[in-house]
Amino acid sequence: MTQSKPSVLFVCVHNAGRSQMAAGFLRHLGGGSIEVRSAGSMPADSINPVAVEAMLELGIDISDEAPKVLTADAARASDVVITMGCGDACPFFPGKRYEDWKLADPAGQGIDAVRPIRDEIQARVATLIGELLG
């Protein structure tokens, strides 16, 4: 019997910066051992180009990603739901692990302001991988 791999949903308001960077790190660092989803309560039209640039500096390309609307199904299908400033817009389902990561919003910021946000997300994702795959 094979155990299904854990799944993580990253949620922020626009699904254009923080949640996309977190999903990019989890795909990259998790090596396919964790299912990754990201969504936004009010998705933007496109991903934040500065977030793309910041991730490319570390060799991770998220330029093909697109903001997606948060659905109850996506949350229901995930073992861990990580919110990043979406407040009450995030659905809550009993039995899920929820974490709220307090992170600055990279929207409208230059690359120098986005790098520390990216680095904090990378550290949190690395910790999360350790907890899930321990």
Side-chain angles (χ1 to χ4, degrees), residues 61-124:
D61 186 357
I62 60 170
S63 62
D64 288 342
E65 298 298 322
K68 294 171 283 301
V69 69
L70 174 63
T71 64
D73 288 344
R76 210 177 279 119
S78 300
D79 299 311
V80 181
V81 178
I82 297 184
T83 58
M84 305 171 178
C86 67
D88 296 337
C90 295
F92 182 85
F93 294 99
K96 304 290 177 200
R97 173 178 162 187
Y98 285 86
E99 288 185 26
D100 185 43
W101 291 359
K102 305 273 189 235
L103 298 161
D105 190 346
Q109 304 280 347
I111 189 71
D112 290 336
V114 173
R115 282 185 188 116
I117 300 168
R118 173 203 65 198
D119 294 345
E120 182 174 352
I121 291 170
Q122 181 179 21
R124 287 177 183 239

Side-chain angles (χ1 to χ4, degrees), residues 12-36:
C12 64
V13 176
H14 300 298
N15 189 220
R18 292 168 289 190
S19 55
Q20 292 285 3
M21 288 192 285
F25 277 126
L26 188 53
R27 275 191 293 275
H28 182 75
L29 299 173
S33 54
I34 299 171
E35 193 175 336
V36 182

